[in-house]
């Protein structure tokens, strides 16, 4: 925040256009992924057949997540 009331300005720094695709080639029930995006991105997962899969996403750091599923499979995780 800069300035003094009532003329204060709040400056946001937002990631722009950042994305990452992780390919999980070995079937696993837990995927640990380092994306190095520097923030907590949204995550979408699809299996090798292109079907969307819901998992439990745990943000370990701003650069790493762990996604747990009820069964092992391979596919892709999309970060944005």
């Amino acid at each position: 925040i800069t300035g003094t009331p009532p003329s204060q300005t709040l400056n946001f720094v937002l990631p722009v256009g950042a994305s990452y695709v992780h390919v999980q080639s070995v079937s696993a029930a837990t995927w640990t992924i380092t994306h190095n995006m520097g923030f907590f991105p949204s995550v979408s997962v699809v299996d090798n057949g292109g079907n969307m899969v819901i998992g439990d996403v745990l943000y370990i750091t701003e650069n790493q997540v762990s996604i747990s599923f009820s069964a092992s499979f391979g596919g892709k995780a999309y970060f944005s």
Side-chain angles (χ1 to χ4, degrees), residues 18-20 33-39 41 61-65 79:
S19 64
Y20 176 74
I33 303 164
T34 301
H35 54 75
N36 289 324
M37 295 174 72
F39 63 96
T61 68
E62 291 179 344
N63 293 306
Q64 189 175 52
V65 300
F79 295 83

Side-chain angles (χ1 to χ4, degrees), residues 21-50:
V21 178
H22 169 78
V23 177
Q24 184 71 33
S25 56
V26 177
S27 291
T30 300
W31 301 3
T32 301
I33 303 164
T34 301
H35 54 75
N36 289 324
M37 295 174 72
F39 63 96
F40 302 104
S42 62
V43 183
S44 298
V45 177
V46 295
D47 63 18
N48 285 329

